[in-house]
Short mmCIF file of all heavy atoms in Angstrom, two decimals:
data_model
loop_
_atom_site.label_atom_id
_atom_site.label_comp_id
_atom_site.label_asym_id
_atom_site.label_seq_id
_atom_site.Cartn_x
_atom_site.Cartn_y
_atom_site.Cartn_z
N MET J 1 82.22 1.31 -48.34
CA MET J 1 83.19 1.17 -47.25
C MET J 1 84.49 0.61 -47.79
O MET J 1 84.50 -0.33 -48.58
CB MET J 1 82.60 0.24 -46.18
CG MET J 1 83.25 0.34 -44.83
SD MET J 1 83.13 1.93 -43.97
CE MET J 1 81.40 1.98 -43.50
N LYS J 2 85.60 1.21 -47.39
CA LYS J 2 86.92 0.75 -47.82
C LYS J 2 87.65 0.18 -46.62
O LYS J 2 87.40 0.56 -45.47
CB LYS J 2 87.75 1.94 -48.34
CG LYS J 2 87.16 2.60 -49.55
CD LYS J 2 87.72 1.98 -50.79
CE LYS J 2 87.18 2.69 -52.02
NZ LYS J 2 87.53 1.97 -53.23
N SER J 3 88.58 -0.71 -46.91
CA SER J 3 89.36 -1.30 -45.84
C SER J 3 90.83 -0.89 -46.04
O SER J 3 91.37 -0.98 -47.14
CB SER J 3 89.17 -2.81 -45.93
OG SER J 3 90.33 -3.46 -45.58
N ALA J 4 91.44 -0.37 -44.97
CA ALA J 4 92.82 0.12 -45.06
C ALA J 4 93.75 -0.68 -44.16
O ALA J 4 93.39 -1.05 -43.04
CB ALA J 4 92.88 1.59 -44.67
N THR J 5 94.93 -0.96 -44.69
CA THR J 5 96.01 -1.54 -43.89
C THR J 5 97.15 -0.55 -43.95
O THR J 5 97.65 -0.23 -45.03
CB THR J 5 96.45 -2.90 -44.46
OG1 THR J 5 95.31 -3.75 -44.52
CG2 THR J 5 97.52 -3.55 -43.59
N ILE J 6 97.51 -0.01 -42.81
CA ILE J 6 98.50 1.06 -42.75
C ILE J 6 99.75 0.57 -42.04
O ILE J 6 99.70 0.15 -40.89
CB ILE J 6 97.89 2.28 -42.01
CG1 ILE J 6 96.61 2.75 -42.72
CG2 ILE J 6 98.91 3.42 -41.92
CD1 ILE J 6 95.74 3.66 -41.88
N GLN J 7 100.86 0.61 -42.77
CA GLN J 7 102.14 0.20 -42.17
C GLN J 7 102.77 1.42 -41.50
O GLN J 7 103.06 2.42 -42.16
CB GLN J 7 103.05 -0.36 -43.25
CG GLN J 7 104.41 -0.83 -42.73
CD GLN J 7 104.29 -2.04 -41.80
OE1 GLN J 7 103.80 -3.07 -42.20
NE2 GLN J 7 104.73 -1.88 -40.56
N LEU J 8 102.97 1.31 -40.20
CA LEU J 8 103.53 2.42 -39.44
C LEU J 8 105.02 2.19 -39.22
O LEU J 8 105.51 1.07 -39.40
CB LEU J 8 102.85 2.49 -38.07
CG LEU J 8 101.32 2.56 -38.10
CD1 LEU J 8 100.77 2.21 -36.73
CD2 LEU J 8 100.87 3.94 -38.53
N GLU J 9 105.70 3.24 -38.79
CA GLU J 9 107.07 3.05 -38.35
C GLU J 9 107.02 2.10 -37.15
O GLU J 9 105.96 1.94 -36.54
CB GLU J 9 107.67 4.40 -37.93
CG GLU J 9 106.95 5.02 -36.73
CD GLU J 9 107.61 6.31 -36.24
OE1 GLU J 9 108.81 6.28 -35.94
OE2 GLU J 9 106.91 7.33 -36.18
N THR J 10 108.12 1.49 -36.79
CA THR J 10 108.13 0.53 -35.68
C THR J 10 107.67 1.19 -34.38
O THR J 10 108.22 2.22 -33.98
CB THR J 10 109.55 -0.06 -35.51
OG1 THR J 10 109.94 -0.58 -36.77
CG2 THR J 10 109.58 -1.14 -34.46
N LEU J 11 106.67 0.60 -33.78
CA LEU J 11 106.16 1.14 -32.52
C LEU J 11 107.05 0.61 -31.39
O LEU J 11 107.37 -0.56 -31.35
CB LEU J 11 104.71 0.69 -32.30
CG LEU J 11 103.71 1.11 -33.39
CD1 LEU J 11 102.33 0.57 -33.06
CD2 LEU J 11 103.67 2.62 -33.54
N THR J 12 107.43 1.52 -30.50
CA THR J 12 108.39 1.12 -29.49
C THR J 12 107.77 0.72 -28.16
O THR J 12 108.43 0.11 -27.33
CB THR J 12 109.44 2.23 -29.26
OG1 THR J 12 108.74 3.45 -29.04
CG2 THR J 12 110.33 2.38 -30.48
N CYS J 13 106.52 1.05 -27.94
CA CYS J 13 105.88 0.58 -26.71
C CYS J 13 104.36 0.59 -26.89
O CYS J 13 103.85 1.27 -27.76
CB CYS J 13 106.31 1.42 -25.51
SG CYS J 13 105.62 3.06 -25.48
N PRO J 14 103.66 -0.20 -26.07
CA PRO J 14 102.21 -0.32 -26.26
C PRO J 14 101.44 0.98 -26.11
O PRO J 14 100.33 1.11 -26.63
CB PRO J 14 101.79 -1.32 -25.18
CG PRO J 14 103.03 -2.07 -24.87
CD PRO J 14 104.15 -1.10 -25.04
N SER J 15 101.99 1.97 -25.45
CA SER J 15 101.23 3.22 -25.31
C SER J 15 101.16 3.97 -26.64
O SER J 15 100.23 4.75 -26.87
CB SER J 15 101.78 4.09 -24.19
OG SER J 15 102.98 4.67 -24.57
N CYS J 16 102.10 3.72 -27.54
CA CYS J 16 102.03 4.30 -28.89
C CYS J 16 100.75 3.81 -29.56
O CYS J 16 100.05 4.58 -30.23
CB CYS J 16 103.20 3.84 -29.76
SG CYS J 16 104.81 4.29 -29.15
N MET J 17 100.51 2.54 -29.41
CA MET J 17 99.35 1.87 -29.99
C MET J 17 98.05 2.54 -29.52
O MET J 17 97.18 2.85 -30.32
CB MET J 17 99.41 0.45 -29.43
CG MET J 17 98.78 -0.60 -30.22
SD MET J 17 99.15 -2.16 -29.36
CE MET J 17 97.75 -2.21 -28.25
N LEU J 18 97.98 2.80 -28.21
CA LEU J 18 96.78 3.41 -27.64
C LEU J 18 96.60 4.84 -28.14
O LEU J 18 95.48 5.28 -28.39
CB LEU J 18 96.85 3.40 -26.11
CG LEU J 18 96.88 2.01 -25.49
CD1 LEU J 18 97.06 2.11 -23.98
CD2 LEU J 18 95.59 1.25 -25.81
N LYS J 19 97.71 5.54 -28.27
CA LYS J 19 97.68 6.92 -28.74
C LYS J 19 97.12 6.98 -30.17
O LYS J 19 96.28 7.81 -30.49
CB LYS J 19 99.12 7.46 -28.73
CG LYS J 19 99.24 8.91 -28.37
CD LYS J 19 100.67 9.16 -27.93
CE LYS J 19 101.20 10.44 -28.55
NZ LYS J 19 102.64 10.62 -28.26
N ILE J 20 97.60 6.08 -31.02
CA ILE J 20 97.15 6.04 -32.41
C ILE J 20 95.69 5.62 -32.47
O ILE J 20 94.89 6.23 -33.18
CB ILE J 20 98.05 5.10 -33.24
CG1 ILE J 20 99.47 5.68 -33.31
CG2 ILE J 20 97.49 4.91 -34.65
CD1 ILE J 20 100.52 4.72 -33.84
N GLU J 21 95.33 4.60 -31.71
CA GLU J 21 93.93 4.15 -31.68
C GLU J 21 93.00 5.27 -31.26
O GLU J 21 91.95 5.48 -31.87
CB GLU J 21 93.78 2.99 -30.68
CG GLU J 21 93.85 1.64 -31.35
CD GLU J 21 93.74 0.49 -30.34
OE1 GLU J 21 93.27 0.73 -29.20
OE2 GLU J 21 94.14 -0.62 -30.71
N GLY J 22 93.41 6.01 -30.24
CA GLY J 22 92.60 7.12 -29.74
C GLY J 22 92.40 8.19 -30.80
O GLY J 22 91.29 8.70 -30.98
N ALA J 23 93.47 8.51 -31.51
CA ALA J 23 93.40 9.55 -32.54
C ALA J 23 92.48 9.09 -33.67
O ALA J 23 91.69 9.87 -34.21
CB ALA J 23 94.79 9.86 -33.06
N LEU J 24 92.56 7.82 -34.04
CA LEU J 24 91.74 7.30 -35.13
C LEU J 24 90.27 7.25 -34.73
O LEU J 24 89.38 7.54 -35.52
CB LEU J 24 92.23 5.91 -35.56
CG LEU J 24 93.60 5.88 -36.24
CD1 LEU J 24 94.05 4.45 -36.46
CD2 LEU J 24 93.59 6.66 -37.55
N LYS J 25 90.02 6.90 -33.47
CA LYS J 25 88.64 6.82 -32.98
C LYS J 25 87.96 8.18 -33.01
O LYS J 25 86.74 8.27 -33.14
CB LYS J 25 88.61 6.25 -31.56
CG LYS J 25 88.66 4.74 -31.60
CD LYS J 25 88.50 4.12 -30.25
CE LYS J 25 88.58 2.60 -30.38
NZ LYS J 25 89.06 1.97 -29.15
N ALA J 26 88.75 9.24 -32.88
CA ALA J 26 88.19 10.58 -32.84
C ALA J 26 87.86 11.11 -34.24
O ALA J 26 87.26 12.16 -34.39
CB ALA J 26 89.17 11.53 -32.15
N LEU J 27 88.27 10.36 -35.25
CA LEU J 27 88.08 10.81 -36.63
C LEU J 27 86.73 10.33 -37.18
O LEU J 27 86.39 9.15 -37.06
CB LEU J 27 89.23 10.22 -37.46
CG LEU J 27 89.67 10.94 -38.72
CD1 LEU J 27 90.05 12.37 -38.43
CD2 LEU J 27 90.86 10.21 -39.31
N GLU J 28 86.01 11.25 -37.80
CA GLU J 28 84.71 10.89 -38.35
C GLU J 28 84.89 10.09 -39.64
O GLU J 28 85.80 10.37 -40.42
CB GLU J 28 83.91 12.17 -38.65
CG GLU J 28 82.42 11.94 -38.61
CD GLU J 28 81.65 13.09 -39.23
OE1 GLU J 28 82.16 14.22 -39.21
OE2 GLU J 28 80.54 12.84 -39.71
N GLY J 29 84.05 9.09 -39.83
CA GLY J 29 84.11 8.32 -41.08
C GLY J 29 84.81 6.98 -40.93
O GLY J 29 84.82 6.18 -41.84
N ILE J 30 85.41 6.76 -39.75
CA ILE J 30 86.07 5.48 -39.51
C ILE J 30 85.14 4.60 -38.69
O ILE J 30 84.51 5.06 -37.74
CB ILE J 30 87.41 5.68 -38.76
CG1 ILE J 30 88.38 6.44 -39.66
CG2 ILE J 30 88.01 4.33 -38.34
CD1 ILE J 30 89.76 6.62 -39.07
N GLU J 31 85.02 3.35 -39.08
CA GLU J 31 84.20 2.41 -38.34
C GLU J 31 84.97 1.99 -37.09
O GLU J 31 85.91 1.20 -37.15
CB GLU J 31 83.93 1.17 -39.21
CG GLU J 31 82.51 1.04 -39.62
CD GLU J 31 82.22 -0.27 -40.32
OE1 GLU J 31 83.16 -1.04 -40.61
OE2 GLU J 31 81.06 -0.51 -40.57
N GLN J 32 84.56 2.57 -35.96
CA GLN J 32 85.31 2.44 -34.71
C GLN J 32 85.65 1.01 -34.33
O GLN J 32 86.76 0.72 -33.91
CB GLN J 32 84.51 3.08 -33.58
CG GLN J 32 84.26 4.54 -33.80
CD GLN J 32 84.54 5.35 -32.55
OE1 GLN J 32 84.83 4.80 -31.49
NE2 GLN J 32 84.47 6.64 -32.67
N GLU J 33 84.65 0.11 -34.48
CA GLU J 33 84.89 -1.26 -34.01
C GLU J 33 85.85 -2.04 -34.91
O GLU J 33 86.28 -3.12 -34.55
CB GLU J 33 83.55 -2.01 -33.82
CG GLU J 33 82.72 -2.19 -35.08
CD GLU J 33 81.86 -0.96 -35.45
OE1 GLU J 33 82.06 0.12 -34.88
OE2 GLU J 33 80.99 -1.11 -36.32
N THR J 34 86.23 -1.46 -36.06
CA THR J 34 87.17 -2.16 -36.94
C THR J 34 88.62 -1.72 -36.72
O THR J 34 89.52 -2.28 -37.31
CB THR J 34 86.81 -1.93 -38.43
OG1 THR J 34 87.00 -0.55 -38.76
CG2 THR J 34 85.38 -2.34 -38.75
N ILE J 35 88.81 -0.70 -35.89
CA ILE J 35 90.17 -0.18 -35.68
C ILE J 35 91.01 -1.17 -34.88
O ILE J 35 90.64 -1.54 -33.76
CB ILE J 35 90.15 1.18 -34.94
CG1 ILE J 35 89.34 2.21 -35.71
CG2 ILE J 35 91.57 1.68 -34.70
CD1 ILE J 35 89.14 3.54 -34.96
N LYS J 36 92.10 -1.60 -35.50
CA LYS J 36 93.02 -2.49 -34.79
C LYS J 36 94.44 -2.02 -35.06
O LYS J 36 94.88 -1.97 -36.19
CB LYS J 36 92.86 -3.92 -35.28
CG LYS J 36 91.64 -4.59 -34.72
CD LYS J 36 91.71 -6.11 -34.82
CE LYS J 36 90.46 -6.74 -34.22
NZ LYS J 36 89.24 -6.44 -34.99
N VAL J 37 95.13 -1.69 -33.99
CA VAL J 37 96.53 -1.32 -34.13
C VAL J 37 97.33 -2.45 -33.51
O VAL J 37 97.13 -2.80 -32.35
CB VAL J 37 96.85 0.04 -33.46
CG1 VAL J 37 98.31 0.41 -33.65
CG2 VAL J 37 95.96 1.15 -34.01
N SER J 38 98.20 -3.05 -34.30
CA SER J 38 98.98 -4.17 -33.79
C SER J 38 100.38 -3.71 -33.42
O SER J 38 101.10 -3.13 -34.24
CB SER J 38 99.03 -5.28 -34.82
OG SER J 38 100.10 -6.15 -34.51
N PHE J 39 100.74 -3.96 -32.18
CA PHE J 39 102.06 -3.58 -31.69
C PHE J 39 103.15 -4.44 -32.34
O PHE J 39 104.18 -3.94 -32.77
CB PHE J 39 102.09 -3.73 -30.16
CG PHE J 39 103.40 -3.39 -29.56
CD1 PHE J 39 103.93 -2.12 -29.66
CD2 PHE J 39 104.12 -4.36 -28.87
CE1 PHE J 39 105.15 -1.80 -29.10
CE2 PHE J 39 105.34 -4.06 -28.30
CZ PHE J 39 105.86 -2.78 -28.41
N ASN J 40 102.90 -5.73 -32.47
CA ASN J 40 103.90 -6.65 -33.02
C ASN J 40 104.28 -6.36 -34.46
O ASN J 40 105.44 -6.47 -34.83
CB ASN J 40 103.42 -8.09 -32.91
CG ASN J 40 103.38 -8.54 -31.48
OD1 ASN J 40 104.14 -8.05 -30.65
ND2 ASN J 40 102.49 -9.45 -31.15
N THR J 41 103.28 -6.02 -35.29
CA THR J 41 103.57 -5.79 -36.71
C THR J 41 103.64 -4.30 -37.05
O THR J 41 103.93 -3.95 -38.19
CB THR J 41 102.51 -6.46 -37.60
OG1 THR J 41 101.23 -5.90 -37.27
CG2 THR J 41 102.46 -7.96 -37.38
N SER J 42 103.33 -3.44 -36.10
CA SER J 42 103.28 -1.99 -36.32
C SER J 42 102.34 -1.62 -37.47
O SER J 42 102.67 -0.80 -38.33
CB SER J 42 104.67 -1.40 -36.58
OG SER J 42 105.51 -1.66 -35.50
N LYS J 43 101.19 -2.30 -37.47
CA LYS J 43 100.21 -2.02 -38.51
C LYS J 43 98.90 -1.58 -37.90
O LYS J 43 98.52 -2.05 -36.82
CB LYS J 43 99.92 -3.29 -39.31
CG LYS J 43 100.90 -3.51 -40.43
CD LYS J 43 100.53 -4.74 -41.23
CE LYS J 43 101.62 -5.03 -42.24
NZ LYS J 43 101.59 -6.40 -42.73
N ALA J 44 98.21 -0.70 -38.62
CA ALA J 44 96.87 -0.30 -38.23
C ALA J 44 95.91 -0.77 -39.31
O ALA J 44 96.20 -0.62 -40.50
CB ALA J 44 96.79 1.21 -38.07
N LYS J 45 94.82 -1.38 -38.88
CA LYS J 45 93.80 -1.80 -39.83
C LYS J 45 92.47 -1.18 -39.43
O LYS J 45 92.16 -1.09 -38.24
CB LYS J 45 93.64 -3.33 -39.81
CG LYS J 45 94.82 -4.02 -40.44
CD LYS J 45 94.57 -5.50 -40.56
CE LYS J 45 95.79 -6.16 -41.21
NZ LYS J 45 95.59 -7.58 -41.44
N LEU J 46 91.71 -0.78 -40.43
CA LEU J 46 90.42 -0.18 -40.15
C LEU J 46 89.59 -0.12 -41.42
O LEU J 46 90.12 -0.21 -42.52
CB LEU J 46 90.60 1.23 -39.58
CG LEU J 46 91.49 2.19 -40.38
CD1 LEU J 46 90.68 2.98 -41.40
CD2 LEU J 46 92.20 3.12 -39.44
N ASN J 47 88.29 0.02 -41.24
CA ASN J 47 87.39 0.28 -42.36
C ASN J 47 86.93 1.73 -42.26
O ASN J 47 86.71 2.23 -41.16
CB ASN J 47 86.16 -0.63 -42.30
CG ASN J 47 86.53 -2.08 -42.53
OD1 ASN J 47 87.64 -2.40 -42.95
ND2 ASN J 47 85.60 -2.97 -42.25
N PHE J 48 86.82 2.36 -43.42
CA PHE J 48 86.37 3.76 -43.40
C PHE J 48 85.44 4.05 -44.56
O PHE J 48 85.43 3.34 -45.57
CB PHE J 48 87.58 4.72 -43.40
CG PHE J 48 88.41 4.69 -44.67
CD1 PHE J 48 88.21 5.66 -45.65
CD2 PHE J 48 89.37 3.73 -44.88
CE1 PHE J 48 88.98 5.67 -46.82
CE2 PHE J 48 90.14 3.72 -46.05
CZ PHE J 48 89.94 4.68 -47.01
N ASP J 49 84.67 5.10 -44.38
CA ASP J 49 83.72 5.55 -45.39
C ASP J 49 84.42 6.62 -46.23
O ASP J 49 84.72 7.71 -45.74
CB ASP J 49 82.48 6.14 -44.68
CG ASP J 49 81.42 6.58 -45.68
OD1 ASP J 49 81.74 6.77 -46.87
OD2 ASP J 49 80.27 6.75 -45.25
N GLU J 50 84.68 6.29 -47.48
CA GLU J 50 85.47 7.19 -48.33
C GLU J 50 84.73 8.48 -48.68
O GLU J 50 85.34 9.41 -49.21
CB GLU J 50 85.97 6.46 -49.58
CG GLU J 50 84.90 6.06 -50.59
CD GLU J 50 84.27 4.68 -50.32
OE1 GLU J 50 84.16 4.29 -49.13
OE2 GLU J 50 83.88 4.02 -51.29
N GLU J 51 83.44 8.53 -48.36
CA GLU J 51 82.72 9.79 -48.60
C GLU J 51 82.89 10.76 -47.43
O GLU J 51 82.62 11.95 -47.55
CB GLU J 51 81.23 9.52 -48.84
CG GLU J 51 81.01 9.01 -50.26
CD GLU J 51 79.61 8.49 -50.51
OE1 GLU J 51 78.71 8.76 -49.68
OE2 GLU J 51 79.43 7.81 -51.52
N LYS J 52 83.32 10.23 -46.29
CA LYS J 52 83.48 11.09 -45.11
C LYS J 52 84.93 11.39 -44.78
O LYS J 52 85.24 12.41 -44.18
CB LYS J 52 82.82 10.43 -43.90
CG LYS J 52 81.31 10.40 -44.01
CD LYS J 52 80.70 9.88 -42.73
CE LYS J 52 79.19 9.77 -42.85
NZ LYS J 52 78.68 8.74 -41.95
N VAL J 53 85.81 10.47 -45.12
CA VAL J 53 87.22 10.67 -44.76
C VAL J 53 88.10 10.01 -45.82
O VAL J 53 87.70 9.02 -46.44
CB VAL J 53 87.47 10.12 -43.32
CG1 VAL J 53 87.42 8.61 -43.27
CG2 VAL J 53 88.78 10.63 -42.75
N SER J 54 89.27 10.59 -46.04
CA SER J 54 90.18 10.03 -47.06
C SER J 54 91.36 9.35 -46.36
O SER J 54 91.64 9.62 -45.19
CB SER J 54 90.71 11.15 -47.95
OG SER J 54 91.47 12.05 -47.18
N ILE J 55 92.05 8.52 -47.10
CA ILE J 55 93.24 7.87 -46.54
C ILE J 55 94.30 8.93 -46.21
O ILE J 55 95.03 8.79 -45.23
CB ILE J 55 93.77 6.74 -47.47
CG1 ILE J 55 94.89 5.94 -46.80
CG2 ILE J 55 94.22 7.28 -48.83
CD1 ILE J 55 94.49 5.12 -45.61
N ASP J 56 94.34 10.00 -46.99
CA ASP J 56 95.29 11.09 -46.70
C ASP J 56 95.02 11.71 -45.34
O ASP J 56 95.93 12.00 -44.57
CB ASP J 56 95.19 12.19 -47.77
CG ASP J 56 95.79 11.75 -49.11
OD1 ASP J 56 96.49 10.71 -49.13
OD2 ASP J 56 95.55 12.43 -50.11
N LYS J 57 93.74 11.90 -45.08
CA LYS J 57 93.34 12.49 -43.80
C LYS J 57 93.68 11.54 -42.63
O LYS J 57 94.13 11.98 -41.58
CB LYS J 57 91.82 12.77 -43.85
CG LYS J 57 91.23 13.31 -42.59
CD LYS J 57 91.46 14.79 -42.45
CE LYS J 57 90.99 15.27 -41.08
NZ LYS J 57 91.49 16.60 -40.79
N ILE J 58 93.50 10.26 -42.86
CA ILE J 58 93.82 9.26 -41.84
C ILE J 58 95.33 9.26 -41.56
O ILE J 58 95.76 9.28 -40.41
CB ILE J 58 93.33 7.86 -42.28
CG1 ILE J 58 91.79 7.85 -42.37
CG2 ILE J 58 93.82 6.78 -41.33
CD1 ILE J 58 91.19 6.63 -43.04
N GLU J 59 96.11 9.30 -42.63
CA GLU J 59 97.57 9.32 -42.47
C GLU J 59 98.02 10.59 -41.75
O GLU J 59 98.90 10.56 -40.89
CB GLU J 59 98.26 9.26 -43.84
CG GLU J 59 98.12 7.90 -44.51
CD GLU J 59 98.96 7.79 -45.77
OE1 GLU J 59 99.68 8.74 -46.12
OE2 GLU J 59 98.89 6.72 -46.43
N GLU J 60 97.39 11.69 -42.12
CA GLU J 60 97.72 12.98 -41.51
C GLU J 60 97.44 12.95 -40.00
O GLU J 60 98.20 13.50 -39.20
CB GLU J 60 96.81 14.01 -42.19
CG GLU J 60 97.20 15.45 -42.06
CD GLU J 60 96.08 16.32 -42.65
OE1 GLU J 60 95.83 16.20 -43.88
OE2 GLU J 60 95.46 17.08 -41.89
N THR J 61 96.34 12.29 -39.63
CA THR J 61 95.97 12.18 -38.22
C THR J 61 97.03 11.39 -37.45
O THR J 61 97.40 11.76 -36.34
CB THR J 61 94.59 11.50 -38.10
OG1 THR J 61 93.65 12.33 -38.79
CG2 THR J 61 94.17 11.32 -36.66
N ILE J 62 97.54 10.33 -38.06
CA ILE J 62 98.58 9.52 -37.42
C ILE J 62 99.86 10.35 -37.29
O ILE J 62 100.51 10.35 -36.24
CB ILE J 62 98.81 8.23 -38.23
CG1 ILE J 62 97.55 7.35 -38.19
CG2 ILE J 62 100.02 7.47 -37.67
CD1 ILE J 62 97.58 6.14 -39.10
N ASN J 63 100.18 11.10 -38.35
CA ASN J 63 101.37 11.97 -38.31
C ASN J 63 101.25 13.00 -37.20
O ASN J 63 102.22 13.31 -36.51
CB ASN J 63 101.55 12.71 -39.64
CG ASN J 63 101.92 11.78 -40.78
OD1 ASN J 63 102.48 10.72 -40.56
ND2 ASN J 63 101.61 12.16 -41.99
N ARG J 64 100.04 13.52 -37.06
CA ARG J 64 99.82 14.60 -36.09
C ARG J 64 100.08 14.14 -34.65
O ARG J 64 100.51 14.92 -33.81
CB ARG J 64 98.41 15.17 -36.25
CG ARG J 64 98.26 16.56 -35.73
CD ARG J 64 97.16 17.36 -36.44
NE ARG J 64 96.15 16.52 -37.07
CZ ARG J 64 95.01 16.17 -36.52
NH1 ARG J 64 94.69 16.58 -35.33
NH2 ARG J 64 94.15 15.43 -37.17
N VAL J 65 99.81 12.86 -34.34
CA VAL J 65 100.11 12.39 -32.98
C VAL J 65 101.56 11.91 -32.86
O VAL J 65 101.97 11.43 -31.82
CB VAL J 65 99.12 11.31 -32.46
CG1 VAL J 65 97.75 11.92 -32.20
CG2 VAL J 65 99.02 10.10 -33.37
N GLY J 66 102.33 12.04 -33.95
CA GLY J 66 103.76 11.82 -33.85
C GLY J 66 104.32 10.56 -34.47
O GLY J 66 105.46 10.19 -34.19
N TYR J 67 103.56 9.90 -35.34
CA TYR J 67 104.04 8.67 -35.95
C TYR J 67 104.06 8.75 -37.46
O TYR J 67 103.19 9.37 -38.07
CB TYR J 67 103.20 7.48 -35.48
CG TYR J 67 103.25 7.38 -33.99
CD1 TYR J 67 102.25 7.96 -33.21
CD2 TYR J 67 104.33 6.78 -33.36
CE1 TYR J 67 102.34 7.94 -31.84
CE2 TYR J 67 104.43 6.77 -31.98
CZ TYR J 67 103.43 7.34 -31.22
OH TYR J 67 103.52 7.34 -29.86
N GLU J 68 105.05 8.07 -38.02
CA GLU J 68 105.21 8.08 -39.46
C GLU J 68 104.46 6.91 -40.08
O GLU J 68 104.43 5.82 -39.51
CB GLU J 68 106.70 7.93 -39.76
CG GLU J 68 107.15 8.70 -40.97
CD GLU J 68 108.64 8.50 -41.21
OE1 GLU J 68 109.42 8.76 -40.28
OE2 GLU J 68 108.99 8.07 -42.31
N VAL J 69 103.88 7.16 -41.25
CA VAL J 69 103.22 6.10 -42.02
C VAL J 69 104.17 5.71 -43.15
O VAL J 69 104.62 6.55 -43.92
CB VAL J 69 101.88 6.60 -42.62
CG1 VAL J 69 101.28 5.56 -43.56
CG2 VAL J 69 100.90 6.95 -41.51
N LEU J 70 104.52 4.44 -43.23
CA LEU J 70 105.44 4.00 -44.28
C LEU J 70 104.67 3.76 -45.58
O LEU J 70 105.12 4.15 -46.65
CB LEU J 70 106.19 2.75 -43.85
CG LEU J 70 107.02 2.91 -42.56
CD1 LEU J 70 107.77 1.62 -42.26
CD2 LEU J 70 108.00 4.08 -42.66
N ASN J 71 103.54 3.10 -45.49
CA ASN J 71 102.68 2.94 -46.66
C ASN J 71 101.29 2.49 -46.25
O ASN J 71 101.11 1.97 -45.14
CB ASN J 71 103.30 2.00 -47.71
CG ASN J 71 103.40 0.58 -47.20
OD1 ASN J 71 102.39 -0.10 -47.06
ND2 ASN J 71 104.59 0.12 -46.90
N SER J 72 100.35 2.70 -47.14
CA SER J 72 98.96 2.30 -46.85
C SER J 72 98.41 1.53 -48.03
O SER J 72 98.69 1.88 -49.18
CB SER J 72 98.07 3.52 -46.67
OG SER J 72 98.53 4.29 -45.62
N LYS J 73 97.65 0.52 -47.72
CA LYS J 73 96.94 -0.21 -48.78
C LYS J 73 95.45 -0.05 -48.53
O LYS J 73 94.98 -0.27 -47.42
CB LYS J 73 97.29 -1.69 -48.73
CG LYS J 73 98.64 -1.96 -49.35
CD LYS J 73 99.00 -3.42 -49.26
CE LYS J 73 100.49 -3.59 -49.47
NZ LYS J 73 101.05 -4.67 -48.65
N VAL J 74 94.74 0.34 -49.59
CA VAL J 74 93.30 0.52 -49.47
C VAL J 74 92.62 -0.40 -50.46
O VAL J 74 92.99 -0.45 -51.64
CB VAL J 74 92.91 1.99 -49.73
CG1 VAL J 74 91.39 2.17 -49.69
CG2 VAL J 74 93.57 2.92 -48.74
N LYS J 75 91.66 -1.15 -49.96
CA LYS J 75 90.90 -2.03 -50.87
C LYS J 75 89.43 -1.69 -50.80
O LYS J 75 88.91 -1.41 -49.73
CB LYS J 75 91.04 -3.50 -50.45
CG LYS J 75 92.38 -4.09 -50.76
CD LYS J 75 92.29 -5.58 -50.67
CE LYS J 75 92.82 -6.11 -49.36
NZ LYS J 75 93.19 -7.47 -49.27
CU1 CU X 101 105.20 4.27 -27.10
#
């Protein structure tokens, strides 16, 4: 299991947060209960199984709902 911290572009309202959370929850390989999108810091944190999903795929999913990823850290 890997842990990701994803810096997003500045979120302008709390519904952005819900939209991103929803998209991430629908993705296989992410530990649902670890998904946290913070409105104040515009960061998403989550744990994922690198055998089921890649950080590229996670970033792509965020892009697809309309948000830019500035950078991601995976540990
Ligand atoms: Cu919004």
Side-chain angles (χ1 to χ4, degrees):
M1 199 63 71
K2 297 269 183 189
S3 145
T5 303
I6 302 163
Q7 181 66 60
L8 306 163
E9 63 175 305
T10 306
L11 301 178
T12 51
C13 72
S15 73
C16 299
M17 205 176 89
L18 296 176
K19 215 160 136 186
I20 295 167
E21 264 178 19
L24 292 173
K25 277 185 180 153
L27 207 56
E28 206 194 333
I30 295 184
E31 248 188 352
Q32 299 226 355
E33 63 277 12
T34 66
I35 302 173
K36 283 199 179 67
V37 181
S38 162
F39 179 62
N40 291 332
T41 59
S42 301
K43 275 183 187 160
K45 289 187 179 184
L46 52 90
N47 293 348
F48 66 99
D49 182 341
E50 68 272 32
E51 282 170 14
K52 290 186 183 153
V53 71
S54 64
I55 188 67
D56 288 347
K57 177 80 187 166
I58 295 169
E59 289 188 2
E60 198 187 297
T61 299
I62 295 172
N63 292 335
R64 203 152 23 95
V65 291
Y67 302 95
E68 215 181 305
V69 173
L70 301 182
N71 66 72
S72 300
K73 282 178 198 144
V74 177
K75 287 196 260 200

